[in-house]
Amino acid sequence: MPPQPATPAAQFTQLLSATRRGARLARLLTVEQIAEWGWPRDSERAEAVAVVVAELAANAIVHGRLPGRGFRLSLVLLPGSRLRIEVTDPRGDVLPSVSGVADEGGRGLVIVDALAAEWGVRPYPPSGKTVWAEVGSVRLGSRTDGR
Ligand SMILES: Nc1ncnc2c1ncn2[C@@H]1O[C@H](COP(=O)(O)OP(=O)(O)O)[C@@H](O)[C@H]1O
Ligand SMILES: [Mg+2]
């Protein structure tokens, strides 16, 4: 647990269409926003953030889509150079699950799990959900706990 409540230093939110174009926009807007917040564009962290957003947005438009509804991207800059990515979709009735079976489904959440310090899902009342992931200041590749 962090010693202090995580008060956002800055925040970006955008509603997007649940289409491939919307998912692509989510990634492009993210790249621009974190550059504006001073994360070097070609840094491992910035690349990790772009990949995580791309995977979560792809899942929102494929698995979390409801006709006529969009999805929402939020980026929350937290103290300690942590970034929380939040992707909200309208389907709270189906949830992400990382498949343990090698040939089943894609690798999107496996990649998210590898790149994010933490990730999870919370309800977005009344009927949606938010899939969130935090990319921290810890150097990628330095993890030694086997996760
Ligand atoms: N936003 C979401 N809403 C509902 N189900 C999801 C969502 N994201 C992921 N899932 C579920 O988790 C599974 C694993 O996701 P992922 O690893 O990205 O693989 P893929 O998208 O290729 O199936 C998906 O097949 C889907 O069943
Ligand atoms: Mg996926």
Side-chain angles (χ1 to χ4, degrees):
M1 280 287 120
Q4 295 164 351
T7 311
Q11 183 153 3
F12 169 88
T13 296
Q14 180 71 53
L15 189 61
L16 294 154
S17 65
T19 59
R20 285 172 61 181
R21 183 167 180 273
R24 183 162 175 272
L25 254 175
R27 180 174 53 80
L28 295 174
L29 290 169
T30 297
V31 166
E32 290 308 311
Q33 184 58 70
I34 63 174
E36 209 167 288
W37 284 340
W39 290 31
R41 273 176 198 276
D42 50 6
S43 63
E44 275 185 67
R45 267 194 315 167
E47 280 166 14
V49 167
V51 170
V52 169
V53 168
E55 292 299 339
L56 296 186
N59 284 349
I61 70 161
V62 173
H63 309 294
R65 183 175 171 276
L66 275 184
R69 302 280 298 276
F71 74 98
R72 193 188 68 177
L73 167 72
S74 285
L75 304 173
V76 186
L77 191 61
L78 298 167
S81 288
R82 289 176 303 139
L83 184 80
R84 191 167 65 230
I85 297 151
E86 300 180 333
V87 175
T88 301
D89 69 52
R91 290 202 58 181
D93 59 325
V94 283
L95 298 176
S97 63
V98 181
S99 169
V101 184
D103 323 325
E104 223 178 70
R107 293 275 80 89
L109 290 173
V110 173
I111 293 166
V112 169
D113 191 63
L115 294 177
E118 275 187 86
W119 71 276
V121 191
R122 62 169 193 267
Y124 185 81
S127 54
K129 67 174 176 298
T130 298
V131 185
W132 59 270
E134 264 188 37
V135 176
S137 53
V138 179
R139 232 182 76 77
L140 293 169
S142 66
R143 193 178 271 154
T144 53
D145 59 6
R147 278 208 299 153

